[in-house]
Amino acid sequence: MNALMEAVRAGRTGELPGLLDVMTDAERRAYLPELKELRKELRADRWNVQAGRAYPSLQVAGAACQTGAAAVANWLASADMRWWQAPPAVLIDVLADREPDWLADVVHRLAQRPPSAEVPYELMAGLVRLSACRVPTTQAYVEGWVRHIGSVWQRGDTLLARLRKDPHLPQLVAALFETDDIGGTLQWPAEEGPDSWTGALAQLTAEGALERGAMVHACVSRLLRGGSAADHRGFLRLLKALALTRDEERERTAEWLALAADAPSVVAGYAQSVLGGLALEGELSARQLAEMSGGVLFRTEKKLVRAQLVLLGKVMARDAATADELLPAVAQAFGHEDSDVQERALKLVERHLKKAGPDARSELAAAAEQLIPTLHARAVASLGASPAAMGPVVYEEVLPPVPEAVRLAPAPESVAELAEEVGALLVTGDDVAAFERTLDGLVRHAHDDREALVEALGPVVARLWWVTADEERVQESTYFADFTHLHLVLASLLGKVRTAALHAAVTQGTTGQTCVHSALDRAFQARIAEVAFRMRTDPLPFLLSTPTWSTGLLEPEDLVERLTEYRRLDARPSDADFAQALLRVRRGDRAAAASAAERAAALGTPEGAELARWLTSDGPLLPVGWRRTTHARVLVECDQLEELQDDFPREFRPLGQPVSVYRERWHCYHWDDSIRPHWLALLPERRELVAARILRDLSTVAVEDTRGPAAVLPLLAESGGEAGDAVHLCVAYGLGARHEEDRLAAVDALMVLAARGQLDAALLGTDLGQLVRNGVVKPLRLADSLRTAAATGANATIWGMLRHTLPLLLGDLAAGGPDGQAARTRGLGELLAVAAECAERSGARGELPHLAGAAARRGSSRLVTQARRLQGALVEEAAA
């Protein structure tokens, strides 16, 4: 072995520059095959000690022996070199003898790599210095520069001093404004000064090192472009640090108008304050102020809306001539969703009405039609608005159409089509319908032509870990859970799981599981394991349990047809597959079930007889259940369901066993949200059983602020069977979720239940009241969810719930409530606002317990004003 390769293998990086310097280009190129072979050798196990020692030296030698700029850039930035990189100074040393143009080509190629390639900034900056080329302004280079400037310092040095020394300062600062997700850096550290980015950049601008006009323009343009919240905060902080003059603010009036209307709240507030200063100094025309108001008054942030109304009032007080232009702008707030904003706007209009001309008064009277009933009645007297229409108004509830289940398409007919669907399913996740038809397709083709199926699946599964891993290690693995869902079936087909391991999974099951979800998971996994085992030993012709509908329901006639075909083929059914088919078969339609039972009994097979007995039994039963409160959560327990015991395989019996809050472990490894739709498809006519076992998971979205578990709620609402305590509590927790996407999923579920006539508004409303009292559901989150639901047109539905929620909370308010009740009902005014709007729109009448006491309180807080509004709506007499 020669000296160079010995040094590379030994990791003696410091010796390489001396060895390489005495070589010609041709001699260096001659080493490339050996270096590439060593690289291939190290890739086989890149995490061992030898690889960690040799990789830095290999990176240096390979870079020096390559001749093309593209080849060197690829070598330096390759993924296998990323974890064991050579010191940048050594790489710069071995490349220093190349032509400047060649070095410039290399550095610009490296800079084009994404930041995830982790090319060292010191290497790129060194090559820029050697080549004297223009500095790259790519994201990778700019991010590296920012990190370098912020982290490298000398005694007594500051960020400002380091920036002053940078020869490429103007170009790189300009590139900051074009780099995504860099704003967070500009906020560090929190205090201003020569060691903060904003303080340093502002000082350099003041000194003239950076051109002020370009900096201001770049800041404003970046805010207009949008981006992440961190970007907005960072560049806004820099803009404030630049301390714009009034002339600079006036020059950008159009930009401030756009930001006030559409930018995130923090940026819009700043733009509003700038425009407000211009307006109060008479440097913003009434037309421009009206244009600004048209954007701001439709925003949902009440702080911005209130500030805009105050601004309009100040301008009209200073200059009465602006009233004709500005009062119609104020009237745009008459249509705001918040009644407090409507009232503020009406008061402002009434205060300045005498300054308005006839045309403006007519416009104001017309706009008053948008006001809530109590304010509209006031506007009739003060603005001359038209009275409300005489006669009763017939309210019509608007609910979404009832979702229709989708019939599953037949399994793919060709192995090529099936392989494509397998590949798609492996990437996109576990959609129930796609999973079931794909699983059935694998079973069918494995029975008909296993070799052709395996060949078609080869390219699809080629990169899965259990395919690329050492065969012996995978076959001997005892960690059976590595093969989940579809993976286990595919691994069985390709012979990557031992038959003995599959047999053990079928005969022994997963009895070690003790968590509350284990009953659902054991039944689901039992069918998968038995299908995988039968593929190896006695392939099934097709699955009996493939659902007819996307919800998991199986039509009884379809199951009878499949059993008939099994008898014709003299095929032996899988116990788990047949048990799953029984749990999925529709029994709610008693006439269809009875007809199918006669045909099943006539088959003369044990499975036919069992199906006939099952179809003619009492239908899908539910166990006796009751509620249990634990640590403020309300959960559901239930007794044993005998129907799911003796005649079912061992792994299915836990589905009917008791659910206990205290006996079963709740925290477990079932953390994957994508499995829950499959659990619902296990029992498509008994969703209460599933809901009781996932209720604790659903409660975490409100109690622990987790994200994601509520995504299953719309499917829970679309599933079949009784919607009882567990289902309603699942929805209740979802409506109080921390994250918006979880609340929207709960609203979807609420609307589906209402559209199907399965919503118990009194039950859900009472549950919500109790959860708010317990501190589990926060009123503001609940109000946001219910306002969203009401906006779809379901005002009567939401009022029907809130008329049971509010008495509990108002009663606590009247009695003084338990300790901490004031904090827990901080958003009660928002709930009252939603209730008042729903009552006004739906024409609800009657008394609400404890409401009068809240309305009689002193003051004008949100709670008191909305209580009065709701009381007024409920006692308002219908016009004759």
Side-chain angles (χ1 to χ4, degrees), residues 416-436:
E417 182 185 356
L418 177 60
E420 289 182 5
E421 301 222 357
V422 168
L425 193 59
L426 290 173
V427 172
T428 60
D430 283 347
D431 174 74
V432 171
F435 174 81
E436 291 292 344

Side-chain angles (χ1 to χ4, degrees), residues 642-700:
E642 296 297 336
E643 185 184 33
L644 298 183
Q645 297 306 304
D646 296 338
D647 295 330
F648 276 84
R650 180 187 59 187
E651 294 297 282
F652 284 78
R653 292 173 196 162
L655 291 171
Q657 291 174 359
V659 176
S660 170
V661 170
Y662 297 110
R663 287 202 304 269
E664 294 184 283
R665 184 162 53 89
W666 289 91
H667 297 288
C668 61
Y669 66 87
H670 297 112
W671 49 266
D672 185 3
D673 295 338
S674 67
I675 190 60
R676 294 191 185 99
H678 292 280
W679 289 346
L680 279 172
L682 278 173
L683 298 159
E685 283 193 315
R686 290 189 241 226
R687 58 183 164 188
E688 270 290 296
L689 286 180
V690 181
R693 294 185 179 277
I694 65 173
L695 179 55
R696 179 69 175 243
D697 300 341
L698 267 294
S699 71
T700 63

Side-chain angles (χ1 to χ4, degrees), residues 395 397 761 793-803 838-839 841-842:
Y395 170 75
E397 184 84 342
N795 294 285
T797 298
I798 303 306
W799 167 247
M801 293 164 46
L802 284 174
R803 65 189 296 269
C838 291
R841 293 182 182 277
S842 63

Side-chain angles (χ1 to χ4, degrees), residues 72 95 172 184 195 273 339 379 384 442 464 472 475 533 558 560 586 608 617 658 671 703 721 753 768 784 873:
V72 171
L95 295 175
L172 290 172
D195 251 340
S273 67
S339 62
L442 289 170
L464 297 179
E472 181 179 354
Q475 287 188 339
F533 176 65
D558 289 348
V560 172
R586 185 196 296 272
S617 62
W671 49 266
V703 180
L753 289 174
L768 288 168
D784 179 73

Side-chain angles (χ1 to χ4, degrees), residues 141-392:
Y141 195 92
V142 173
E143 287 185 4
W145 173 71
V146 168
R147 286 194 301 270
H148 177 77
I149 288 292
S151 62
V152 178
W153 64 87
Q154 299 174 356
R155 186 183 299 273
D157 200 2
T158 63
L159 179 67
L160 174 61
R162 295 193 293 275
L163 287 172
R164 280 197 183 113
K165 299 173 186 175
D166 196 302
H168 305 292
L169 177 67
Q171 298 94 319
L172 290 172
V173 169
L176 272 179
F177 297 96
E178 304 299 326
T179 304
D180 292 332
D181 301 322
I182 203 74
T185 302
L186 302 183
Q187 300 178 72
W188 184 89
E191 60 276 359
E192 294 291 354
D195 251 340
S196 74
W197 274 93
T198 50
L201 292 176
Q203 180 63 32
L204 290 168
T205 303
E207 294 173 359
L210 297 172
E211 203 275 312
R212 181 175 179 83
M215 288 291 289
V216 174
H217 176 75
C219 274
V220 176
S221 298
R222 180 56 187 263
L223 293 175
L224 282 167
R225 193 182 85 184
S228 65
D231 276 352
H232 281 117
R233 289 192 296 267
F235 288 104
L236 179 60
R237 179 178 169 181
L238 177 56
L239 185 61
K240 290 178 179 179
L242 291 172
L244 270 62
T245 64
R246 185 60 79 195
D247 286 341
E248 289 173 326
E249 291 176 341
R250 189 188 313 108
E251 290 170 1
R252 292 166 177 80
T253 299
E255 287 90 338
W256 306 132
L257 289 171
L259 290 171
D262 299 319
S265 182
V266 62
V267 178
Y270 176 77
Q272 184 185 42
S273 67
V274 172
L275 291 169
L278 293 172
L280 293 176
E281 293 179 7
E283 298 188 28
L284 192 70
S285 69
R287 182 175 296 279
Q288 288 175 315
L289 183 55
E291 177 189 346
M292 170 193 176
S293 302
V296 175
L297 293 179
F298 278 101
R299 296 186 68 113
T300 57
E301 302 96 329
K302 287 179 281 188
K303 181 179 179 181
L304 294 178
V305 174
R306 288 195 295 264
Q308 190 67 20
L309 292 175
V310 170
L311 174 62
L312 289 167
K314 288 181 178 180
V315 172
M316 287 188 287
R318 292 188 177 198
D319 185 359
T322 61
D324 280 346
E325 191 87 48
L326 298 184
L327 282 176
V330 174
Q332 294 181 77
F334 288 176
H336 198 276
E337 64 179 19
D338 187 352
S339 62
D340 282 353
V341 170
Q342 293 186 19
E343 187 172 12
R344 284 172 180 265
L346 180 58
K347 285 181 179 179
L348 183 59
V349 168
E350 290 171 339
R351 189 181 309 133
H352 297 280
L353 183 63
K354 61 181 178 293
K355 304 173 184 177
D359 291 342
R361 286 173 178 264
S362 299
E363 195 171 342
L364 293 170
E369 297 294 331
Q370 304 172 77
L371 293 167
I372 62 174
T374 53
L375 296 179
H376 181 263
R378 192 168 113 192
V380 170
S382 62
L383 305 183
S386 302
M390 302 298 291

Side-chain angles (χ1 to χ4, degrees), residues 853-861 864-865 868:
R857 288 185 162 216
R858 295 180 179 178
S860 57
S861 67
V864 173
T865 57
R868 292 169 183 166

Side-chain angles (χ1 to χ4, degrees), residues 499-702:
T499 304
L502 293 169
H503 182 259
V506 172
T507 56
Q508 299 173 16
T510 52
T511 54
Q513 296 184 16
T514 58
C515 70
V516 72
H517 314 99
S518 62
L520 301 167
D521 194 56
R522 285 173 63 178
F524 177 75
Q525 295 290 0
R527 184 175 67 125
I528 302 300
E530 196 160 323
V531 165
F533 176 65
R534 289 288 297 270
M535 277 185 172
R536 191 73 63 79
T537 57
D538 182 16
L540 298 166
F542 52 83
L543 292 178
L544 296 172
S545 60
T546 303
T548 306
W549 304 101
S550 55
T551 58
L553 268 180
L554 172 58
E555 292 297 337
E557 291 296 331
D558 289 348
L559 182 52
V560 172
E561 291 293 338
R562 293 171 189 174
L563 287 175
T564 302
E565 182 65 11
Y566 259 66
R567 186 185 66 172
R568 187 186 70 80
L569 296 172
D570 195 24
R572 178 172 63 88
S574 156
D575 291 342
D577 186 42
F578 181 60
Q580 177 64 90
L582 292 180
L583 292 177
R584 283 178 170 169
V585 71
R586 185 196 296 272
R587 292 194 290 167
D589 186 340
R590 303 308 298 163
S595 174
E598 291 182 9
R599 293 185 55 203
L603 290 176
T605 63
E607 289 76 22
E610 177 62 19
L611 176 58
R613 184 197 65 77
W614 182 255
L615 290 173
T616 54
S617 62
D618 293 336
L621 303 176
L622 290 177
V624 176
W626 57 90
R627 293 170 175 240
R628 175 89 70 174
T629 301
T630 171
H631 302 296
R633 302 181 208 237
V634 180
L635 302 174
V636 171
E637 297 186 327
C638 57
D639 214 338
Q640 183 157 297
L641 186 61
E642 296 297 336
E643 185 184 33
L644 298 183
Q645 297 306 304
D646 296 338
D647 295 330
F648 276 84
R650 180 187 59 187
E651 294 297 282
F652 284 78
R653 292 173 196 162
L655 291 171
Q657 291 174 359
V659 176
S660 170
V661 170
Y662 297 110
R663 287 202 304 269
E664 294 184 283
R665 184 162 53 89
W666 289 91
H667 297 288
C668 61
Y669 66 87
H670 297 112
W671 49 266
D672 185 3
D673 295 338
S674 67
I675 190 60
R676 294 191 185 99
H678 292 280
W679 289 346
L680 279 172
L682 278 173
L683 298 159
E685 283 193 315
R686 290 189 241 226
R687 58 183 164 188
E688 270 290 296
L689 286 180
V690 181
R693 294 185 179 277
I694 65 173
L695 179 55
R696 179 69 175 243
D697 300 341
L698 267 294
S699 71
T700 63
V701 300

